[in-house]
Structure formats: structure tokens, C-alpha cells
Amino acid sequence: MELICILFLLINGMSLAVTQFNGYNCDPAVHSRFPGDRDISVYCGVQTITLKINFCPVLYSGYADSDLALNGRHADVHCRGFINNSTFPTLLLFSVSLSTLEACGNTLVVSAIQGNNAYGNVSLVQIGSISGYIDTPDPPTIISYLPGLLYKFSCSYPLEYLVNNSQLASSSVAISVKDNNGTFVSTLSLILYNDSSFNQQLSVPMAGLPLKTRVFAAVRATNLDRRWNVLMDYCYSTPSGNPNDATRYDLFFRCQKDPQTTVFENGKSQLGRFAFEVFRFVKHKNQKMSTVFLHCVTKLCREDDCVMLMPICGKRRKREESVSPGPSPGDAVITAGPIITRGALAGGSSFQLDTVGSALVSGLVLLGFISLGFFLLSVRLLRRASPATLTATCNPSFK
């Protein structure tokens, strides 16, 4: 009799579970349980944070999809999730837009932690952390036999990136860092222009750009919430596409700036602009063309934070700030082909003397001075000669 009762209860429980999961892709043998930590997945993206909740344990706990909402905003339909029944198991999806994340009570906190910055140096690094939770409403009664469900989530976004545009011949190069859970995915571009109005994108001739050609560059943030501004912290060039190349020339770093470089806008919007004059690397002296690769370390900061991050120039700086840093090997970098400039051998009228040619020219100049000395000495000796020793014959035709 006891065995019959146990079998009856098991069959009744299984039929109840099947009834609960009816219409949804759930397995009663697997999902007849209360929710756990593994039932939520968080995907931190550029524009949105996507939350995926295993809906089957929610059903088993006695709730419907409309019972779950972001940060207790159960009355707001925009803060609820939606069912995706095309997967196994069935998922309840929430999408948090970074541009309106406060609308459903999510919070953004920017803090500084000790870590490696984009230069590879240990210092304070700014992190943007977005957090929130998904829960079920409290019942209006004193007690409840249903468990309260609570899912917490957070995404941390580092706010410093290394941006590259290593080809002046191309109009732009977009940088997109791979989407990883818990990291900030940015889309930044470094675009080059011919003119100060930043309208005509740069075009490089086959022979390369003449030296001292003025090039205008813009670092632009796209597909990001407008709360973030672009702060160019350090821009430099290398003769190769490797941003860690030991040979590099700094265009500007905080308060230090190359005399031929002008910064027009920085930290005030989602656009940073500067200009520099094209040069060649001396190591390319035996080449007709010189290649220049451009790199910028860029921070994303809120308007108030950008003001505090901007260096105070004109005052005494710390010694370590006077040394230009190098980028960290761990930075995500996309590199395009080279900026082509005309080297010392470019052009029909240009020439370069090697060591032998320089020695020949020096010898000819020295021989000329010696010949001139002998000539002047001969003239002086002739002037000192006696008139009796000089004879002259008249030309008969002059009579």
C-alpha cells in the first residue's frame, strides 16, 4: 500500500511539472528546481547589456514572465523581459540600453582602481561599473509560500584604449575591441583629413606626401552613449605597425607637445581633433619612401571626470610625467598599412652623397685652394723681377 502511494505521488508530481512547463522548452527531469546562480548570463556590449535568465526554474517556482522586472519596477512594462521560446531551455531576456540605463533604476559608478593603464604602467585606472538586479514582487500578504527570486548583475568597463590609424593613405580605420563579458566594448575611429575644416578626408599620392605637409586627425567615438567624451591622452608615431616599437616619436603627451603639433579639441565631446606636420624617420635615409604609423591612447570619461583628468599645464610636473610612456602589449590594437612620406631620395632634383663622393668633393676643394696659392705666389714673384731682364718685341702691324 505504501509503495502504491509513493508511485501515485511521483506520477502526480511529474504530471504537475509537465503541466507547469506546458508550451515551454523545459525538461521536468532537469528543471524541476528553484533558480540558482548559473541560471543568469550577462553580456556586456557597446550599446546594450543583455541578460538571459533560464525561465524554466522561474515557472517551477510559481511565477510568470510578467512577475520579473528590473530593480523592482514591476509597474513599468519597459522594465520587464520578454520570452524567447526558440531555444532550449526557454529564456527570459532583458535588454538594458546604456543610453537610458537609469530609466529602470540601474546605476553607473565610475571609480579608480590600482592596475595597469594603457601604457603598461601601474597606476590608477578608471572603471565604469553598471549594476542592477531583477526580482519578483513582494506579496501584499504577511506571509508567502512562494520563494522570492533575485538576480543580481553588473558590467565593468575599463575607460582607456589604444587607438591606431597607421595608414595615411586610407580615409579611416575603425577600432572594435572584441566583446568580452565584464569588459567595455568600444568603437573608436581615427580619421585623417586634408583640411582644417575636417571635411575632406586625406588622400596620399603614389609618390608619398611631401615633408612638412600638414595633416589633420580626428579621434571619434560612435555607437556610444552621449554621456562619454573622448580624451586623447597620448598620441605618437612609429616607423612600423607595431605600437610597441622601440623607435617612436611623440606628437603630444599630456602637457608636452611637439612644436609642429596643434591640439584643437580634447575631452569636451565625442570628438578629439589635432594636426601635425608630416616627417620622415631618419632610419629610412636610404629609402625613397618613409613610413609613419600613428597611434593614440584614448580615454572615455564623463564631462565632469574629463575636466579632472585633463592635465594642468604650465605648472611644475612630477618627474615621471616628463617621460613618455609606452603602450601595454595587452591593449587591443588594429593596424593598417603605412603613412607614406617622401624620403631624402625622392624627386628628380634631390640627391644624396655617400662617403666616397664626399671625400672626392673635399679633395677637389683642397686642390683648388693649393692651385690658387701657387698662382698668387707666381704673380708676386713676377712683380719683383728687374726691368732689365724683361724684353719686349713690338708687333710690326701696330706701327
Side-chain angles (χ1 to χ4, degrees), residues 204-211 213 278 288-290 339-343:
V204 179
M206 292 293 294
L209 290 172
L211 298 178
T213 298
V278 170
K288 291 185 178 180
M289 302 291 181
S290 179
I339 296 168
I340 305 297
T341 64
R342 296 178 187 175

Side-chain angles (χ1 to χ4, degrees), residues 326-340:
S328 171
D331 287 326
V333 181
I334 295 179
T335 302
I339 296 168
I340 305 297

Side-chain angles (χ1 to χ4, degrees), residues 44-60:
C44 306
V46 176
Q47 295 175 297
T48 59
I49 297 174
T50 303
L51 310 171
K52 297 181 179 181
I53 293 178
N54 185 345
F55 187 55
C56 298
V58 175
L59 286 173
Y60 179 80

